[in-house]
Amino acid sequence: MKESNEWVQAAEDAAYRRYFCGHHRQDVYDTYQIGAEPEDLYPAFRDWVCAGHPDFPLPATLDAVRLGPATDWDALVARAIFRPPFEPPGVALDAVWITSLYRLLGDERTLLSRAVARLLDSDDPLLVRGAYDFFYNERDAAGAEQVAGSVASGRDRLSSVPDPDRPASSLLDYAAVLLHERVLVVDEAGDLADRPALGVARELALAGIGPRHTPRTFGEHDPDWLAAHAADLARANGKWVTSLVRAAMRMAPKMRERVLRELTEVAPERVRTAIQHL
């Protein structure tokens, strides 16, 4: 909001938020980004701007948690995963308190994220899941580079442990999703910053483990490898065939023809259906 005389008041039933100042009022349901659409119904609010976030120097207290030079970051993040000091209503974000604290902190944010990284190899599935959630939210935070090694060394164990949030899946399934997020991180030159993450994502993909967008990730960031292993991926996970066909259609003509032929040998009906719906 623009100046300090803009106020925010929550409606009594908490079904919506009421923003008002001396000149305007707006009730907001769910999520509303001011000025996000060219045909915004509330043009009067387009010039409202965020005044920025206040500095959060330590020592300080956040949600009754005292933070300062003596903070045990390892103990803090573990407690916050088990029992978050505060969870804002209506915010669909896992590890929300730790993530919010990370975004508030200055130099100390590295202390927090590296403490989270030390949970990657925990024997407690809840702590591992909490670490994955945090690095999913903050995929370029310090310590995220340890995800690939942790998954590679603990692959068998992770595959046998149910995901605490989605018991029908394993922690390895979620780890694969996180690895694909790490593949999106680039360095200052625009190059892939975490090649180990790409390598482990490849190994898991050949075993049929990865999110639905697995072929798209490789098509955008490792197209030659995808072309060489498209048929292997189709055999490993039939749900990827449609995405593989779409990725093939963006390849050079000769490569496209070869990949589609190989995919057709694996799953002819799925390939025909995918091509018909392109």
Side-chain angles (χ1 to χ4, degrees):
M1 297 181 184
K2 195 182 290 185
E3 299 292 344
S4 60
N5 64 338
E6 261 76 16
W7 301 88
V8 179
Q9 173 180 314
E12 291 183 3
D13 63 2
Y16 60 90
R17 300 176 306 286
R18 176 167 297 157
Y19 295 82
F20 69 93
C21 67
H23 305 92
H24 305 294
R25 193 189 87 175
Q26 181 178 357
D27 295 335
V28 177
Y29 298 81
D30 193 28
T31 300
Y32 174 75
Q33 184 174 345
I34 296 169
E37 301 178 15
E39 301 298 326
D40 201 315
L41 297 178
Y42 300 94
F45 290 89
R46 287 186 181 178
D47 58 352
W48 283 30
V49 296
C50 177
H53 298 282
D55 292 336
F56 191 67
L58 301 189
T61 300
L62 178 67
D63 300 321
V65 177
R66 187 63 178 169
L67 303 165
T71 296
D72 183 337
W73 296 98
D74 290 336
L76 174 68
V77 297
R79 285 198 307 270
I81 288 172
F82 285 126
R83 291 181 297 279
F86 174 70
E87 292 183 278
V91 176
L93 184 71
D94 294 320
V96 61
W97 192 84
I98 298 175
T99 302
S100 298
L101 174 59
Y102 176 82
R103 294 175 183 178
L104 282 173
L105 292 171
D107 294 338
E108 301 87 358
R109 61 171 44 186
T110 298
L111 298 175
L112 184 148
S113 63
R114 293 211 176 277
V116 175
R118 286 190 282 275
L119 299 177
L120 290 169
D121 297 318
S122 172
D123 293 330
D124 192 315
L126 285 172
L127 294 179
V128 176
R129 169 73 199 211
Y132 288 174
D133 286 334
F134 172 80
F135 286 120
Y136 183 89
N137 299 338
E138 301 294 335
R139 63 192 182 198
D140 57 353
E145 71 281 356
Q146 298 178 35
V147 170
S150 173
V151 174
S153 62
R155 176 174 170 176
D156 291 341
R157 177 178 59 84
L158 292 170
S159 67
S160 66
V161 178
D163 183 337
D165 282 10
R166 300 177 179 85
S169 302
S170 72
L171 276 176
L172 185 62
D173 292 318
Y174 189 34
V177 174
L178 180 55
L179 288 169
H180 279 256
E181 290 298 307
R182 284 292 295 167
V183 170
L184 303 180
V185 179
V186 297
D187 59 22
E188 294 180 355
D191 298 323
L192 178 66
D194 192 348
R195 296 208 66 84
L198 177 62
V200 180
R202 285 174 172 176
E203 294 175 9
L204 295 181
L206 290 174
I209 302 169
R212 285 188 173 273
H213 62 267
T214 289
R216 186 173 74 244
T217 299
F218 292 122
E220 294 176 357
H221 302 281
D222 203 0
D224 291 340
W225 184 88
L226 178 67
H229 294 86
D232 298 325
L233 296 176
R235 292 188 189 94
N237 191 329
K239 294 179 180 179
W240 292 339
V241 171
T242 298
S243 293
L244 287 166
V245 170
R246 289 173 178 165
M249 299 304 290
R250 291 190 288 271
M251 296 176 183
K254 288 186 177 180
M255 184 177 293
R256 178 197 312 150
E257 181 180 352
R258 175 176 64 80
V259 171
L260 288 177
R261 183 173 63 252
E262 292 174 356
L263 290 174
T264 301
E265 292 174 358
V266 176
E269 292 303 322
R270 284 176 178 262
V271 172
R272 291 192 194 96
T273 300
I275 292 175
Q276 289 173 356
H277 290 84
L278 287 176

